[in-house]
Amino acid sequence: MKLVVELVVVAAVLEVVLGDRIVVASQAVGHEHRQNPRGDDDAELIVKAGDRELGGVDDVDVGVAGHAAVEEGADALVEGAALVLSHEQEHRDAGLEQLERADMELMVGATYDNIMMVEGELDEASEAELLEALKVAHEEIKKQVTAQADRLKELETKEAELQDKIRDIMYTIPQMIDPSVPIGPDDSCNVEVQRFGDPVVPDYPIPYHVDIMESFDGIDLDAAGRVSGNGFYYLLGDIARLHEAVLAYARDFMIDKGFTYVIPPFMMHGDVVKGVMSFPEMDAMMYTMIGRFIDQTLDGAKLPLTLTSYSPCFRKEKGAHGIEERGIYRIHQFEKQEMIVVCKPEDSMTWYDKLWHNSVELFRSMEIPVRQLECCSGDLADLKVKSCDIEAWSPRQQKYFEVCSCSNLGDAQARRLRIRYKDENGKTQLAHTLNNTCVAPPRMLIAFLENHLQADGAVTIPAVLQPYMGGKTVLVPKEK
């Protein structure tokens, strides 16, 4: 096949420089073919005809007539090669293998030799013209290849730009919410579901949480402001120890629930951030653990994966806030123990209930009253199918405030991060992901201190935290 292509290329180039001479060979080929339209020796007759007509001319005139003759003869020889291949295909289709590939190559080679013989008869001027024509054709092909490569590069760049646009549009499409989600424009339409523990209002005043901490020499906001600006803090002494005790207890609490403890990296690539969070969330916070499974196809038999991790967290807060959100309530830096679940779609709602119940159990074990608040449609982030807040009781404010947030994200994160699993039939499916805050101090310390504050200013330590506080049962304020 390569040889036939070469013949065609040579014939095309000869067409530029040769004349009428090959017409005679072409006519002879036609005569021979009419005399023997089907014989097995067609190829041989054609080659002989070409030889006879070309060989019958003693001299080659490098003029218009001579060039045309050689051109027509070359065409005839190329036609002969093509006919050889045509007959070979006919025999193959009929199931006959009478023409072996070696014979075909031999006959085509003979045809090629005839063309080379004609070329050999050209004078030096014609050879120069032939070489020049080949050079021009070569350069033209190079230009076309270069142009196609440039065009391909341009299209690849355009494809990448369009893929980015499609992905950005996809990121703005919200998740389909669960039918049980209350409908409402904002958090004012969130619905209280149930309470756990009796909210107590003591008969003595409860100071602001910063004042309670300062009574233990446990906080320095002024120094933090000088070092880092507003929204940061120094925790000291027993208050700092209490902060770490809550995190350690929450870690062990989740491990006892069968979760695997994880220490994740504190930095992540931008594509992971986009896959984990919606745009508004990305503007406010930068923390996750689910990115570990990006571009993974998991073994369905090993699902669910239940993980708990400690994370230092940072968030950008906007706007000015009142006194209730000063101190350590709304801050740029905090720490948390969280829960992550990767499961099959049919199991995600069951795990959603388990996760928020874990938070309730944890806070109740520390003797803090809480309630579950169902988030309405207007209060759901774009990726969430269903979400609820666990709110702790504040005796000083005599109201609840958020300390945990539990979310079922369906397949939204998995779709963005390409987290899949193989089901029992070997089919690839998108996993479902869920997350929940276990505890997030120092904010939760507000509820802890207010609910354990005694009339004399002391703070009691519940039994579950005493091992993490060196056996202390009570914190006593410093003498002023």
Side-chain angles (χ1 to χ4, degrees):
M1 186 62 185
K2 177 180 178 182
L3 186 57
V4 175
V5 173
E6 290 175 347
L7 290 173
V8 174
V9 172
V10 172
V13 176
L14 287 174
E15 186 176 348
V16 179
V17 298
L18 303 180
D20 296 334
R21 180 174 179 180
I22 302 180
V23 172
V24 180
S26 176
Q27 292 173 347
V29 169
H31 174 73
E32 295 291 350
H33 185 64
R34 284 192 298 273
Q35 295 298 318
N36 187 11
R38 172 57 189 91
D40 290 336
D41 297 327
D42 278 350
E44 181 181 358
L45 290 173
I46 289 169
V47 172
K48 287 180 179 179
D51 289 344
R52 184 168 61 251
E53 294 302 328
L54 291 174
V57 180
D58 296 329
D59 299 316
V60 177
D61 296 326
V62 185
V64 174
H67 286 183
V70 178
E71 177 183 7
E72 293 297 328
D75 288 345
L77 293 174
V78 171
E79 178 184 348
L83 188 58
V84 169
L85 297 179
S86 173
H87 280 311
E88 195 271 348
Q89 184 64 46
E90 290 177 7
H91 281 262
R92 182 178 298 161
D93 293 342
L96 301 175
E97 298 294 339
Q98 298 178 4
L99 292 178
E100 298 294 333
R101 182 170 296 276
D103 294 335
M104 179 189 72
E105 292 178 351
L106 179 62
M107 287 183 285
V108 173
T111 304
Y112 182 82
D113 289 339
N114 277 279
I115 291 179
M116 293 298 99
M117 179 180 67
V118 172
E119 181 181 346
E121 297 178 17
L122 300 177
D123 58 19
E124 293 181 359
S126 296
E127 290 179 0
E129 292 177 10
L130 175 61
L131 292 174
E132 182 62 26
L134 288 170
K135 183 178 179 180
V136 170
H138 174 70
E139 292 300 323
E140 182 62 28
I141 292 172
K142 283 177 62 179
K143 290 179 181 178
Q144 294 178 6
V145 170
T146 301
Q148 291 296 327
D150 292 342
R151 177 59 175 161
L152 179 60
K153 185 177 181 180
E154 178 184 340
L155 291 175
E156 288 174 345
T157 301
K158 187 67 175 178
E159 180 187 22
E161 292 174 355
L162 293 175
Q163 286 177 340
D164 289 342
K165 288 182 180 179
I166 291 172
R167 184 172 58 253
D168 289 343
I169 292 172
M170 182 193 74
Y171 284 161
T172 64
I173 299 174
Q175 174 68 283
M176 298 293 290
I177 64 175
D178 190 78
S180 64
V181 173
I183 304 301
D186 52 44
D187 59 2
S188 65
C189 294
N190 291 349
V191 178
E192 179 181 311
V193 179
Q194 53 189 319
R195 296 184 178 188
F196 303 87
D198 295 327
V200 176
V201 178
D203 57 5
Y204 49 87
I206 304 293
Y208 183 53
H209 70 269
V210 174
D211 296 332
I212 299 174
M213 290 181 171
E214 287 179 341
S215 71
F216 295 94
D217 286 342
I219 189 167
D220 190 344
L221 295 176
D222 292 337
R226 292 192 301 270
V227 172
S228 305
N230 294 332
F232 296 92
Y233 51 85
Y234 280 100
L235 297 184
L236 310 168
D238 284 339
I239 299 301
R241 189 175 189 182
L242 180 62
H243 179 283
E244 294 304 299
V246 168
L247 285 170
Y249 169 58
R251 175 200 64 205
D252 293 346
F253 178 89
M254 294 308 305
I255 292 173
D256 290 343
K257 291 290 185 181
F259 283 60
T260 299
Y261 183 58
V262 177
I263 298 178
F266 296 158
M267 300 293 175
M268 54 189 170
H269 293 300
D271 57 340
V272 178
V273 177
K274 289 182 179 180
V276 170
M277 305 172 190
S278 62
F279 283 171
E281 290 174 313
M282 287 167 55
D283 190 46
M285 62 187 72
M286 296 292 285
Y287 53 87
T288 186
M289 182 169 55
I290 196 68
R292 176 189 173 199
F293 302 106
I294 187 171
D295 288 323
Q296 298 297 301
T297 299
L298 307 172
D299 182 356
K302 296 182 179 179
L303 296 181
L305 302 177
T306 57
L307 310 173
T308 183
S309 77
Y310 159 81
S311 302
C313 306
F314 303 88
R315 67 184 300 153
K316 180 181 178 181
E317 294 288 358
K318 294 181 177 180
H321 304 283
I323 188 172
E324 302 303 341
E325 296 186 346
R326 295 201 303 269
I328 60 170
Y329 182 83
R330 191 174 292 276
I331 48 184
H332 297 308
Q333 173 186 322
F334 61 99
E335 298 169 63
K336 71 173 182 176
Q337 190 73 30
E338 62 181 327
M339 322 171 202
I340 294 291
V341 172
V342 181
C343 67
K344 297 178 181 179
E346 59 267 27
D347 298 329
S348 64
M349 291 310 296
T350 298
W351 274 106
Y352 172 77
D353 287 334
K354 288 181 179 180
L355 291 185
W356 70 258
H357 273 103
N358 285 341
S359 294
V360 170
E361 184 179 343
L362 179 75
F363 274 80
R364 291 301 299 132
S365 71
M366 293 187 289
E367 302 173 15
I368 300 173
V370 293
R371 70 171 180 174
Q372 181 199 13
L373 195 68
E374 185 80 13
C375 297
C376 72
S377 56
D379 195 33
L380 288 181
D382 289 344
L383 302 187
K384 296 180 180 180
V385 173
K386 188 177 178 68
S387 183
C388 70
D389 292 336
I390 302 303
E391 297 189 332
W393 173 249
S394 169
R396 191 184 72 81
Q397 300 180 71
Q398 299 184 27
K399 69 176 186 180
Y400 292 90
F401 66 92
E402 179 191 340
V403 289
C404 300
S405 180
C406 180
S407 300
N408 184 343
L409 296 108
D411 63 8
Q413 281 183 338
R415 188 179 301 277
R416 293 178 175 210
L417 295 174
R418 299 168 297 281
I419 303 173
R420 303 176 176 89
Y421 71 95
K422 292 284 188 181
D423 64 16
E424 59 275 10
N425 298 317
K427 186 176 179 180
T428 303
Q429 307 279 5
L430 284 170
H432 276 204
T433 63
L434 304 93
N435 60 61
N436 183 31
T437 311
C438 190
V439 289
R443 179 189 287 190
M444 64 81 54
L445 294 182
I446 299 173
F448 184 94
L449 294 171
E450 290 186 5
N451 282 279
H452 289 278
L453 184 68
Q454 305 301 303
D456 62 359
V459 172
T460 58
I461 304 298
V464 294
L465 286 184
Q466 291 173 12
Y468 302 93
M469 289 295 293
K472 288 187 176 183
T473 61
V474 64
L475 301 181
V476 179
K478 302 292 185 179
E479 294 282 343
K480 296 297 184 181

